[in-house]
């Protein structure tokens, strides 16, 4: 049956590889890519070569208003029959800044806005359009463990605080440094897992939510905001680690992401998929109090639905 999968972060890195795998392996998929500005049309044309069904919608994921506009367009196209039924959302886009002081147009710290709030807004505004079985996959990171084994000492572990603090600039120690920016990143990826656990509790039966960890993948665009030395290391030096268990190649990570999206990897709702299999995430990532607090804060920050509709459509 023809169906639609909406995907962010498909223009480069593991997302591009995953998109190609999804289209090649599932001829019934209409892939709708979300990209900034005119890049979406070019990406859709490239992915659609060979007769694949691909379209695009423009959005700046750092702007909640832009996400709302993009989602409204998607819903209109679904309702009008231009797109086949919605069966998937892949929140693969992510950012990492060289500080924790970058503020987006809505007043939120930009790492938190893109990695957490944009995904939540997509999920909430699209949830009523999902057909079952449906699957939501959001990319996280093993930096949320906060130990040497998982981050190789390159990214500080998460420093959890009240979501009202995390959502604003300057939430971490030395916020004007790269370490502050990386702490914002690892903390945002812990937040992703918390929200996935909440989605598993709250989403209607038949719509699964899964967090996907690709592992350390050198050579992607994640370090594009880093300094020249870090960018050079990510492109030219660290890729050699993919020959060891310490890192994952871009091709392998993209293939694993496609496996999760298409259901090839068995992962019940609420799962954390580490590369190619469901596994336990960090002990810190299982905290129902934090999960509930983050849910309530994300609802306030995004105002995705009027209170009455939000309560009636998704209850704990």
């Amino acid at each position: 049956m023809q169906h639609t999968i909406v995907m962010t972060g498909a223009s480069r890195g593991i997302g591009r590889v995953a998109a190609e795998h999804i289209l090649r392996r599932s001829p019934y998929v209409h892939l709708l890519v979300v990209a900034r500005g005119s890049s979406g049309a070019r990406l859709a044309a490239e992915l659609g070569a060979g007769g694949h069904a691909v379209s695009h919608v423009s959005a700046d994921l750092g702007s909640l208003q832009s996400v709302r506009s993009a989602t409204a367009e998607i819903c209109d196209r679904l309702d009008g029959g231009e797109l086949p039924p919605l069966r998937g959302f892949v929140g693969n886009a992510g950012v990492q800044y060289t500080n924790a002081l970058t503020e987006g147009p809505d007043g939120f710290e930009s790492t938190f806005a893109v990695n957490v709030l944009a995904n939540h807004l997509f999920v909430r505004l699209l949830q009523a359009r999902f057909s079952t079985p449906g699957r939501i996959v959001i990319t996280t990171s093993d930096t949320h463990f906060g130990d040497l084994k998982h981050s190789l000492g390159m990214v500080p572990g998460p420093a959890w605080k009240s979501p009202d603090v995390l959502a604003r600039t300057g939430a971490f120690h030395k916020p004007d440094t790269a370490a502050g920016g990386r702490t914002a990143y690892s903390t945002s990826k812990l937040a992703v897992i918390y929200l996935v656990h909440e989605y598993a509790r709250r989403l209607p039966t038949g719509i699964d939510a899964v967090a996907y960890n690709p592992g350390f993948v050198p050579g992607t665009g994640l370090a594009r905001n880093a300094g020249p030395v870090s960018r050079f290391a990510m492109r030219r030096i660290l890729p050699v680690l993919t020959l060891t268990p310490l890192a994952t190649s871009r091709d392998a990570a993209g293939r694993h992401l496609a496996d999760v999206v298409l259901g090839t990897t068995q992962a019940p709702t609420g799962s954390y998929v580490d590369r190619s299999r469901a596994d336990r995430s960090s002990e810190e990532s299982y905290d129902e109090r934090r999960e509930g607090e983050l849910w309530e804060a994300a609802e306030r920050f995004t105002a995705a639905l009027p209170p009455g509709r939000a309560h009636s459509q998704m209850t704990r």
Side-chain angles (χ1 to χ4, degrees), residues 32-248:
L32 192 155
V33 293
V34 181
R36 186 183 300 201
S38 61
S39 64
R42 182 172 62 253
L43 175 62
E46 292 171 358
L47 290 172
H52 299 299
V54 186
S55 60
H56 73 283
V57 65
S58 176
D60 174 0
L61 300 184
S63 163
L64 295 182
Q65 183 54 50
S66 181
V67 173
R68 287 190 188 94
S69 297
T71 311
E73 180 180 338
I74 294 169
C75 290
D76 286 345
R77 292 169 63 182
L78 287 165
D79 295 345
E82 182 182 343
L83 293 172
L86 178 66
R87 292 272 297 275
F89 170 72
V90 186
N92 179 62
V95 295
Q96 179 179 305
Y97 289 91
T98 55
N99 59 64
L101 296 173
T102 305
E103 185 176 274
D106 304 288
F108 299 113
E109 192 274 322
S110 291
T111 311
F112 193 85
V114 174
N115 296 358
V116 182
L117 296 182
N119 285 319
H120 184 69
L121 192 53
F122 270 116
V123 169
R124 294 294 275 128
L125 292 177
L126 290 175
Q127 72 175 71
R129 301 311 198 283
F130 264 91
S131 298
T132 57
R135 173 159 284 203
I136 292 163
V137 180
I138 303 180
T139 300
T140 183
S141 165
D142 52 9
T143 59
H144 85 276
F145 279 90
D147 57 17
L148 182 63
K149 174 184 175 182
H150 291 91
S151 67
L152 305 179
M154 294 186 290
V155 180
W160 192 259
K161 305 176 190 297
S162 161
D164 288 276
V165 174
L166 295 176
R168 308 297 175 179
T169 58
F172 305 103
H173 181 61
K174 296 183 178 179
D176 58 333
T177 66
R182 290 169 183 159
T183 304
Y185 175 79
S186 61
T187 306
S188 74
K189 293 304 185 177
L190 176 61
V192 163
I193 299 174
Y194 286 152
L195 282 180
V196 164
H197 291 166
E198 281 295 297
Y199 297 150
R201 297 184 186 104
R202 296 174 182 266
L203 285 167
T205 301
I207 305 175
D208 294 345
V210 177
Y212 166 68
N213 166 44
F216 173 54
V217 186
T220 68
L222 186 62
R224 58 187 175 274
N225 294 312
V229 174
S230 294
R231 292 200 304 272
F232 177 82
M234 283 291 284
R235 286 197 308 267
R236 303 298 184 187
I237 300 174
L238 294 178
V240 72
L241 292 178
T242 60
L243 301 176
T244 77
L246 296 175
T248 312

Side-chain angles (χ1 to χ4, degrees), residues 13-34:
I14 68 172
R16 178 61 178 262
V17 174
E20 292 169 351
H21 272 278
I22 290 168
L23 291 167
R24 186 162 57 246
R25 291 160 51 186
S26 183
Y28 300 109
V29 165
H30 182 116
L31 186 65
L32 192 155
V33 293
V34 181

